[in-house]
Amino acid sequence: MIEVIQAAVEAGVTLFDTAEVYGPYINEEIVGEALAPYRDQVVIATKCGIRMENGRQVVDASLSGIRRSIEGSLQRLKTDHVDLYYLHRIDPNVPIEEVAGLMQELMEEGKILHWGLSEAGIQTIRRAHAVCPLTAVESEYSMWWRQPEHELFPVLEELGIGFIPFAPLGKGFLTGKFQTDGKVPSAKGGAVYPRFTPEALAANQKLVDYIQSLADEKNCTSAQVALAWVMAQRPWIVPIPGTRRKSRMLENVQSVNISLSDKELTEIDGHLKAIPIMGDRYPEEYAKRVGL
């Protein structure tokens, strides 16, 4: 993974997204070691607010917990500051204004440069931004999950907040790879994402086939056209596709060279809206933690 991350820097990638809970901890350690030689050339984003307890993820945005988290992240990332620090999930037991106030303190202390929210609702975003301006909001967005367009995008544009979509390739589904390796992602603890049940996969194959047809027209891969589409939606969108392979990373990077005209985007929009998608994106337990 260190080789892949360093190759990404050499290929022109400047934003690297991780989190305390990934692993937990090991991911930050790997990112920190890999990026140490390039620290002044890159933006490192990490997250707090989810801890592991008896093998399960627990949302915890307590101010003392965030304080502990940032110190641990700085140590693991081998840096004296985090460029972009997210609250990973909204904790209903902690007013977002208090979290925003703490983030302001961390900025004043030089431990973070910017802050953001992950999977937050628009009212929470407004309340947080009023206390300490947000730099970015991270949430899922792709050719098969377009809900952010309805309420979130207008608010982000109004407030001048950037958008960082995770899973821009539909957790790999939009690349067509599930047809070849048969492996589908699962949530922590092995819960099945509703969109990846056998019935949903079969029904949603129409979308994969359509994206492949676009890729054929553009003489590129499905992943590249899916990423190009995401980036074409707004100038302030920066997708964060994940991969374990250097070859896939280099493939993803080339998506910046694919252009989609306004006419093409309009035609694609019509096609996407005509393709029904089966299955929710999260199991019930995870869905409860989104959009508060």
Side-chain angles (χ1 to χ4, degrees):
M1 286 315 305
I2 290 173
E3 179 183 348
V4 172
I5 292 169
Q6 292 183 339
V9 178
E10 298 298 333
V13 175
T14 56
L15 170 63
F16 293 85
D17 181 276
T18 183
E20 177 184 50
V21 77
Y22 296 167
Y25 308 133
I26 185 64
N27 197 275
E28 284 187 325
E29 293 172 0
I30 291 172
V31 169
E33 183 173 348
L35 295 180
Y38 309 93
R39 185 63 187 94
D40 60 347
Q41 303 173 37
V42 298
V43 170
I44 296 178
T46 192
K47 309 177 192 74
C48 62
I50 298 180
R51 58 181 170 80
M52 297 303 296
E53 186 175 286
N54 298 322
R56 298 180 67 84
Q57 293 186 359
V58 177
V59 174
D60 178 8
S62 63
L63 303 191
S64 59
I66 292 175
R67 279 279 181 188
R68 287 193 299 271
S69 292
I70 187 60
E71 296 301 334
S73 290
L74 291 174
Q75 182 176 5
R76 289 184 291 272
L77 291 167
K78 303 180 187 300
T79 184
D80 62 356
H81 70 278
V82 168
D83 300 285
L84 177 56
Y85 199 45
Y86 290 102
L87 180 65
H88 209 157
R89 290 292 186 274
I90 305 304
D91 185 343
N93 298 314
V94 182
I96 195 62
E97 290 83 359
E98 293 184 9
V99 175
L102 176 57
M103 294 296 181
Q104 182 66 57
E105 291 178 15
L106 295 178
M107 287 182 189
E108 293 168 356
E109 295 166 15
K111 293 178 179 178
I112 69 173
L113 302 186
H114 306 272
W115 86 291
L117 295 173
S118 177
E119 294 273 54
I122 58 173
Q123 296 307 318
T124 298
I125 291 169
R126 288 188 181 279
R127 288 165 52 202
H129 190 74
V131 175
C132 182
L134 292 157
T135 292
V137 167
E138 183 173 316
S139 192
E140 185 170 351
Y141 181 61
S142 69
M143 295 177 90
W144 81 336
W145 179 256
R146 300 180 61 184
Q147 191 178 58
E149 295 174 358
H150 305 306
E151 292 186 335
L152 182 58
F153 279 16
V155 172
L156 298 183
E157 192 143 33
E158 172 195 340
L159 300 178
I161 301 170
F163 183 53
I164 312 291
F166 68 79
L169 299 177
K171 296 182 172 66
F173 178 68
L174 303 184
T175 69
K177 75 171 189 175
F178 297 162
Q179 294 172 294
T180 57
D181 64 21
K183 297 178 182 178
V184 298
S186 61
K188 193 73 176 180
V192 175
Y193 289 103
R195 291 193 170 190
F196 296 120
T197 63
E199 297 80 10
L201 287 173
N204 296 332
Q205 186 60 37
K206 293 180 181 178
L207 177 59
V208 176
D209 294 341
Y210 173 61
I211 294 173
Q212 183 59 58
S213 71
L214 292 175
D216 292 341
E217 292 175 12
K218 289 289 183 180
N219 193 30
C220 66
T221 67
S222 294
Q224 289 169 339
V225 78
L227 288 170
W229 179 87
V230 167
M231 290 185 285
Q233 299 310 302
R234 299 291 191 280
W236 34 265
I237 290 179
V238 181
I240 47 171
T243 185
R244 295 179 174 87
R245 300 180 182 179
K246 181 179 176 180
S247 60
R248 292 300 187 194
M249 178 275 295
L250 294 173
E251 174 187 341
N252 291 341
V253 168
Q254 290 304 312
S255 63
V256 301
N257 297 320
I258 298 168
S259 60
L260 296 169
S261 67
D262 290 342
K263 180 181 179 182
E264 287 174 318
L265 288 170
T266 299
E267 291 176 350
I268 292 171
D269 181 66
H271 280 285
L272 293 179
K273 289 178 177 177
I275 299 174
I277 302 299
M278 177 183 289
D280 295 328
R281 69 185 182 115
Y282 277 139
E284 183 177 357
E285 177 186 350
Y286 281 59
K288 294 175 181 177
R289 306 186 326 197
V290 174
L292 296 173

